[in-house]
Amino acid sequence: MNKKKKQDKGIVLKVLTSPYLALILRLYIGGLFIFASMYKINYGAEFAETIASYQLVPYWSVNFLAITMPWLELICGIMLVVGFRARSATVLIAFMLVLFTIAVLINLLRDSPISCGCFSSSDEPISWMTVIRDITWLLMCVHIYYFDRMLHLENRFMAMLKRL
């Protein structure tokens, strides 16, 4: 009986620490951030209104954030998908997720009826599910950071440089 439990724990641990799972999560999070950035880049004015509705940053910084943040999301998403400096991109995305989660938490505590603005200006209003979703994505980033070892573009590039 104990041997069976140890085998089960071993299998679960093996799956949870699998580089294949990390690759799937890396592609998912990368694709998610690429997708999220598309609306924000195309509709910068609407995204600026969304940032302003959170009432957390000074008014003078709203337009700057509305212009730079989507591009940071896009660049980090692409870096994750192609596997170039994936750990650095994961840290930046995790940092953004922490900021987004704190912003949503503060506005939930204020009872502000605003939309998330994550994927469009007409998203559903923020809720505790938004916080749970962001924390889940944050945990995925932690997994990627520690267990991602497959299909990195930079490894192939460095191998090519060594051959030259």
Side-chain angles (χ1 to χ4, degrees):
M1 185 84 171
N2 277 342
K3 190 174 183 178
K4 176 77 173 155
K5 282 185 178 181
K6 283 184 181 179
Q7 283 180 338
D8 290 343
K9 283 184 180 179
I11 291 171
V12 170
L13 188 64
K14 199 173 189 175
V15 169
L16 288 177
T17 60
S18 167
Y20 293 105
L21 178 61
L23 176 65
I24 291 168
L25 294 177
R26 190 182 90 200
L27 294 174
Y28 171 73
I29 294 292
L32 183 74
F33 270 74
I34 291 170
F35 176 71
S37 70
M38 291 293 122
Y39 144 75
K40 297 168 189 169
I41 290 171
N42 288 324
Y43 300 101
E46 287 182 19
F47 184 55
E49 289 178 15
T50 301
I51 292 173
S53 70
Y54 276 84
Q55 299 179 352
L56 293 174
V57 294
Y59 185 71
W60 54 265
S61 66
V62 169
N63 287 337
F64 174 76
L65 288 172
I67 292 171
T68 56
M69 195 164 30
W71 285 101
L72 182 63
E73 290 178 1
L74 178 67
I75 292 168
C76 288
I78 291 172
M79 288 172 67
L80 272 186
V81 168
V82 300
F84 181 75
R85 301 290 181 194
R87 288 184 104 188
S88 301
T90 302
V91 169
L92 286 172
I93 286 176
F95 179 71
M96 285 189 279
L97 284 170
V98 168
L99 292 179
F100 299 158
T101 305
I102 291 170
V104 170
L105 271 172
I106 289 171
N107 279 284
L108 278 174
L109 295 174
R110 290 178 179 168
D111 279 335
S112 300
I114 59 173
S115 71
C116 175
C118 304
F119 302 103
S120 74
S121 62
S122 61
D123 279 345
E124 294 179 15
I126 57 172
S127 67
W128 290 103
M129 286 306 294
T130 310
V131 174
I132 291 170
R133 181 196 65 193
D134 285 356
I135 291 173
T136 303
W137 288 338
L138 185 60
L139 292 174
M140 289 179 181
C141 287
V142 170
H143 188 279
I144 294 167
Y145 183 83
Y146 285 108
F147 302 111
D148 181 40
R149 305 186 285 274
M150 296 181 63
L151 299 176
H152 284 246
L153 185 63
E154 65 195 45
N155 293 343
R156 300 191 86 195
F157 181 71
M158 294 307 283
M160 283 177 49
L161 281 179
K162 285 181 182 177
R163 276 188 260 146
L164 294 178

